[in-house]
């Protein structure tokens, strides 16, 4: 069975794929100090809790945080006796081209999303991923990653206001009743929520204009449905997009080695 690990700057998601479906998905915060042994204690206790007795034979990792990769390699080697495939590293081949400026390091999560999006929806896509940052990945007709946009994440934007301004509290994002806020929290939520609606619409419209072909807009990440509630911004929402991409890349590499 496959253990797929998606490390973001905030959270790390572990999923077990049995060849047909995901048996379980667990989330932990990303911490580069975490050792291989700590990952194992955490994962094995969750598996035991769900009475899951599976043999993990393959591991694939996508990490936007370079420092966690070493310990995840040790974890795969020590506890599952396998060498993980690490997206973006030597030994991992992608089923799509990456056409960007030479010397540019594209975030592996964006490459994985590109592979998943092309596999599920075909070419000419904009993939909007609401994570620590909000990224727009542009997928060409042939499935190639050809660039995109990086904007500050929703929670990061709210947190930045709180951190920088003494009188602004920590608030969670929600869809405000009105645009004109009548208290501090409502004003902050309005700024980020409606500002984000504008950001998404403008960025997608300009990408479509530059690309010159009709594109599908795919969204992923926990906050996508919140924005979709206010306006029909996305053609599809897929919360498992990154995990699906990891499964596709794993299969592609195992068949070739
Ligand atoms: N209504 C909501 N308000 C606040 N946060 C939410 C809401 N719905 C979902 N979330 C959060 O959105 C996040 C979505 O997870 P996702 O994996 O897309 O990004 P992340 O883990 O925050 O970032 P990264 O992948 O960069 O680590 C989760 O942390 C989840 O708790
Ligand atoms: C933009 C993030 C942080 C989004 O997770 C990640 O994809 C990343 O670190 N990217 C590197 C730069 C790039 O993708 O162009
Ligand atoms: K993510």
């Amino acid at each position: 069975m496959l253990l797929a690990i998606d490390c973001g700057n905030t959270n790390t998601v572990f999923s077990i794929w049995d060849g047909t479906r995901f048996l379980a998905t667990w989330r932990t915060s990303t911490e580069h100090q975490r050792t291989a042994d700590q990952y194992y204690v955490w994962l094995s206790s969750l598996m035991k809790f769900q009475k899951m007795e599976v043999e993990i034979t393959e591991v694939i990792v996508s990490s936007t945080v370079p420092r966690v990769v070493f310990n995840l390699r040790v974890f795969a080697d020590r506890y599952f006796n396998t060498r993980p495939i690490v997206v973006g590293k030597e030994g991992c081949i992608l089923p799509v081209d990456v056409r960007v400026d030479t010397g540019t390091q594209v975030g592996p999560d964006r490459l994985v999303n590109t592979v998943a999006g092309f596999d599920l929806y075909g070419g000419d896509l904009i993939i909007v991923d609401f994570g620590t940052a909000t990224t727009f990945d542009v997928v060409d007709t042939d499935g190639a990653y050809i660039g995109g946009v990086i904007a500050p994440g929703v929670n990061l934007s709210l947190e930045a206001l709180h951190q920088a301004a003494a009188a602004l509290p920590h608030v969670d994002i929600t869809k405000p009743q009105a645009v004109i806020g009548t208290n501090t929290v409502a004003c902050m939520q309005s700024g980020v929520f409606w500002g984000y609606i504008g950001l998404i619409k403008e960025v997608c419209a300009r990408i479509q204009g530059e690309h010159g072909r009709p594109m599908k807009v795919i969204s992923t990440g926990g906050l996508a449905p919140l924005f979709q509630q206010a306006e029909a911004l996305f053609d599809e929402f897929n919360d498992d997009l990154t995990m699906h991409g990891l499964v596709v890349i794993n299969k592609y590499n195992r068949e070739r080695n």
Side-chain angles (χ1 to χ4, degrees):
M1 261 179 230
L2 171 69
L3 174 63
I5 306 173
D6 164 27
C7 280
N9 280 287
T10 310
N11 290 308
T12 298
V13 180
F14 287 65
S15 278
I16 295 178
W17 173 257
D18 74 352
T20 318
R21 63 191 186 96
F22 290 108
L23 297 182
T25 295
W26 298 291
R27 187 178 277 268
T28 183
S29 54
T30 301
E31 280 164 31
H32 69 258
Q33 296 97 331
R34 195 167 295 151
T35 65
D37 305 329
Q38 287 174 315
Y39 282 117
Y40 186 72
V41 167
W42 174 78
L43 189 70
S44 61
S45 66
L46 284 167
M47 286 170 70
K48 227 171 261 159
F49 181 71
Q50 298 200 346
K51 301 199 169 36
M52 192 175 280
E53 281 176 44
V54 297
E55 196 196 345
I56 289 162
T57 52
E58 297 175 355
V59 177
I60 184 163
V61 175
S62 159
S63 181
T64 58
V65 184
R67 289 176 74 180
V68 304
V69 173
F70 176 80
N71 283 333
L72 285 171
R73 283 189 196 275
V74 176
F75 166 66
D77 176 58
R78 185 174 297 166
Y79 292 102
F80 308 118
N81 199 22
T82 182
R83 266 175 60 146
I85 291 170
V86 182
V87 177
K89 297 283 178 199
E90 207 180 312
C92 178
I93 43 175
L94 292 179
V96 297
D97 279 350
V98 179
R99 292 195 283 270
V100 293
D101 300 349
T102 43
T104 294
Q105 291 288 323
V106 182
D109 52 340
R110 309 178 73 189
L111 299 176
V112 175
N113 283 345
T114 297
V115 170
F118 184 58
D119 184 66
L120 293 170
Y121 310 106
D124 296 314
L125 303 176
I126 302 171
I127 300 172
V128 190
D129 188 336
F130 295 89
T132 308
T134 298
T135 51
F136 297 70
D137 309 323
V138 180
V139 183
D140 209 349
T141 316
D142 65 347
Y145 171 88
I146 54 169
V149 170
I150 300 173
V154 175
N155 290 329
L156 194 63
S157 304
L158 281 165
E159 199 49 33
L161 285 175
H162 167 57
Q163 292 293 331
L168 299 187
H170 169 84
V171 301
D172 289 326
I173 189 71
T174 183
K175 179 173 175 278
Q177 297 299 327
V179 180
I180 305 170
T182 51
N183 58 68
T184 308
V185 168
C187 288
M188 292 169 68
Q189 286 170 334
S190 185
V192 174
F193 185 87
W194 296 111
Y196 239 82
I197 294 279
L199 182 150
I200 297 164
K201 286 205 302 202
E202 184 71 11
V203 167
C204 287
R206 285 178 180 270
I207 290 173
Q208 305 232 14
E210 267 178 33
H211 190 62
R213 270 190 293 274
M215 303 175 88
K216 255 192 172 174
V217 184
I218 315 297
S219 66
T220 187
L223 290 173
L226 183 70
F227 293 104
Q228 186 76 353
Q229 267 176 39
E231 281 196 44
L233 301 166
F234 314 118
D235 299 308
E236 305 274 355
F237 166 68
N238 187 331
D239 207 18
D240 298 326
L241 196 67
T242 314
M243 279 300 158
H244 179 75
L246 286 173
V247 169
V248 173
I249 294 170
N250 183 69
K251 186 160 181 276
Y252 187 78
N253 279 265
R254 304 285 173 189
E255 282 170 359
R256 272 157 192 79
N257 281 317

